[in-house]
Amino acid sequence: MNRTLLVILITVFVAQTTVAADFATGVLEATFKLFHRDSTATCFFVRREAPDTSLYLVTAAHALEHTKGDTAIVVLRRPKNDGSFERHDHTIPIRRDGKSLWVRHDKQDVAVLRLPDPPPVAVAALPTSVIADEARLKAAEVHICSPLFVLTYPQRFEANGAGFPVARQGIFASPLLLPVQTHPTFLADFTTFAGDSGGPVFVAGAEGQPLLVGIVLAQFRHDERVTSEYEERTIHHPLGLGTILHGQYVRDTLEAAAEQNTPTSK
């Protein structure tokens, strides 16, 4: 191979790898495990533009609805002086007097919870500018078979003792039909498990930034019923597909949560 061409190819590969690491790390730092004794899910933090200084937690609505009691736990990660991290389980309120503190979209399975107090560990949060609305989705020119990435906690699994999420890669498994009001979800080709719900689904955006195209909602499987003379049982076959809710609904629910927590003038 021509030496000049080889150098060019290596340079392009390194550049793409650097961009990928940057956009993925941004989402990684904002993604956390959300769990309770009876359930587990994935969440991520978002901040709106100034003057709003609140920290908002985003996840699938059913993850909070299935959590019993008034609190849940977010697994935060505290940086140490040697560059490593230690796990910090932080309890957050999700109900008060039996009433939900989160805001749920009126039609879709997404919820946003405004944290009343700053967490004890500094956390990164995604700006709303990286969450895809319909215009940003069109501009990204993603299509069926385009690559996408997810960060989640499949079956409560953590990447390490500090509680980092697990990264996986898939593709858009169905056409991105618009408008999102008519087609609120699409399919992604990756094996989905309990615990993935609420996880961010993203692609490489402009200038090394992520573009969050949606959140994980559900998995698909084929249930096979086996009957013999002495036994009846059901075998669950995962189809390796997940339902993804468009990012536009994350933006809409975030704005509804912010409006609910904005004092009204008298």
Side-chain angles (χ1 to χ4, degrees):
M1 180 182 290
N2 180 280
R3 179 180 178 83
T4 302
L5 178 59
L6 178 61
V7 171
I8 292 174
L9 290 175
I10 293 174
T11 302
V12 171
F13 175 78
V14 171
Q16 290 178 338
T17 303
T18 301
V19 171
D22 289 341
F23 81 81
T25 299
V27 185
L28 172 76
E29 292 175 343
T31 302
F32 299 88
K33 186 176 186 178
L34 176 68
F35 79 96
H36 184 269
R37 180 185 59 191
D38 302 317
S39 63
T40 184
T42 304
C43 68
F44 56 94
F45 289 128
V46 176
R47 286 193 188 276
R48 298 174 68 246
E49 296 181 356
D52 190 349
T53 59
S54 298
L55 184 65
Y56 295 90
L57 181 151
V58 179
T59 190
H62 71 260
L64 292 172
E65 291 166 351
H66 293 171
T67 300
K68 300 176 182 178
D70 293 339
T71 62
I73 296 173
V74 179
V75 180
L76 303 181
R77 305 180 289 268
R78 189 191 304 275
K80 300 170 66 175
N81 293 333
D82 62 1
S84 63
F85 291 82
E86 65 180 4
R87 177 191 179 109
H88 182 89
D89 287 7
H90 175 53
T91 300
I92 60 171
I94 61 171
R95 293 184 180 88
R96 183 180 299 116
D97 299 327
K99 295 182 179 180
S100 303
L101 297 178
W102 67 84
V103 173
R104 190 193 200 280
H105 192 276
D106 59 351
K107 295 180 180 179
Q108 303 303 329
D109 187 8
V110 58
V112 174
L113 172 69
R114 175 183 171 273
L115 269 62
D117 302 301
V121 177
V123 298
L126 295 172
T128 55
S129 60
V130 306
I131 304 174
D133 55 15
E134 196 164 303
R136 288 179 175 88
L137 194 61
K138 289 180 179 178
E141 297 183 345
V142 292
H143 47 75
I144 190 167
C145 293
S146 290
L148 54 76
F149 304 90
V150 296
L151 283 164
T152 63
Y153 294 88
Q155 294 289 45
R156 296 181 177 260
F157 186 80
E158 301 172 9
N160 50 42
F164 278 89
V166 178
R168 283 172 288 165
Q169 182 175 9
I171 63 171
F172 287 86
S174 65
L176 284 175
L177 303 177
L178 299 174
V180 297
Q181 287 76 12
T182 305
H183 308 279
T185 63
F186 60 90
L187 297 180
D189 174 36
F190 73 101
T191 302
T192 316
F193 300 92
D196 289 342
S197 294
V201 181
F202 58 100
V203 300
E207 299 179 354
Q209 294 294 311
L211 180 66
L212 193 142
V213 296
I215 65 170
V216 181
L217 290 189
Q219 60 177 303
F220 285 93
R221 69 189 187 192
H222 168 63
D223 294 340
E224 178 185 10
R225 189 163 185 85
V226 180
T227 303
S228 66
E229 185 176 359
Y230 301 105
E231 181 183 26
E232 290 185 1
R233 60 194 176 101
T234 301
I235 303 175
H236 304 301
H237 300 280
L239 297 182
L241 295 170
T243 300
I244 312 302
L245 179 68
H246 276 291
Q248 178 67 61
Y249 291 100
V250 176
R251 297 178 66 93
D252 294 345
T253 311
L254 176 64
E255 292 308 307
E259 182 177 347
Q260 178 175 296
N261 289 280
T262 300
T264 55
S265 56
K266 296 183 179 180

